[in-house]
Amino acid sequence: SYMVVNTLKIRSSRLELAGKLIAAATEAGANEVGSLHFDLADPRQHRAEAIRQATAQARADAGSLAGAAGVRLVRVLSLHLDQESAQPLPMARFKTAEMAMTDAAPVIAPGEVTVRATVQMVYEVGPEG
């Protein structure tokens, strides 16, 4: 007995074709279609925006904290950025036998991809002036 496995990887930014591509693979003889997942086309752009927002929020929080403590922010002593973090949508698996019984392409719907950035800022503070 032997087993033959042939893997085909398709990458597309046209979500509307995803179900049709899966159906075409099934029609061509695939008996398992898996590892369907969604990710960002340009992760660096979204990461940069997450860093900008995290930094602005850290600065605003530091200003509020300094005001509440009766001190002023003098200068930034250090900055720390976390490791890159993006959470793509979980992968989906399809059983082609179930698809064959329905005789239709599966419906693929978009969702959200979460991009996170954590910024730590250490400030020198001085007397309110």
Side-chain angles (χ1 to χ4, degrees), residues 3 24 30 35 56 58-60 65 72 82 84-85 101 116:
M3 178 192 293
S35 299
R59 290 177 68 182
L65 182 60
R72 68 180 173 85
D82 67 345
E84 188 167 339
S85 172
M101 292 185 338
R116 290 188 172 89

Side-chain angles (χ1 to χ4, degrees), residues 35-54:
S35 299
L36 173 67
H37 67 276
F38 303 94
D39 208 345
L40 299 169
D42 185 1
R44 293 299 301 159
Q45 174 189 350
H46 298 288
R47 174 71 173 161
E49 179 58 29
I51 292 168
R52 279 191 288 278
Q53 289 183 18

Side-chain angles (χ1 to χ4, degrees), residues 44-123:
R44 293 299 301 159
Q45 174 189 350
H46 298 288
R47 174 71 173 161
E49 179 58 29
I51 292 168
R52 279 191 288 278
Q53 289 183 18
T55 302
Q57 187 173 355
R59 290 177 68 182
D61 288 350
S64 296
L65 182 60
V71 297
R72 68 180 173 85
L73 301 175
V74 176
R75 64 186 173 113
V76 175
L77 297 176
S78 69
L79 291 169
H80 176 73
L81 179 63
D82 67 345
Q83 298 296 320
E84 188 167 339
S85 172
Q87 295 177 347
L89 291 176
M91 68 179 167
R93 297 188 71 80
F94 299 93
K95 294 293 183 188
T96 56
E98 295 166 5
M99 286 174 44
M101 292 185 338
T102 64
D103 198 30
V107 176
I108 308 297
E112 294 182 0
V113 175
T114 303
V115 179
R116 290 188 172 89
T118 302
V119 174
Q120 181 181 21
M121 303 177 82
V122 177
Y123 279 92

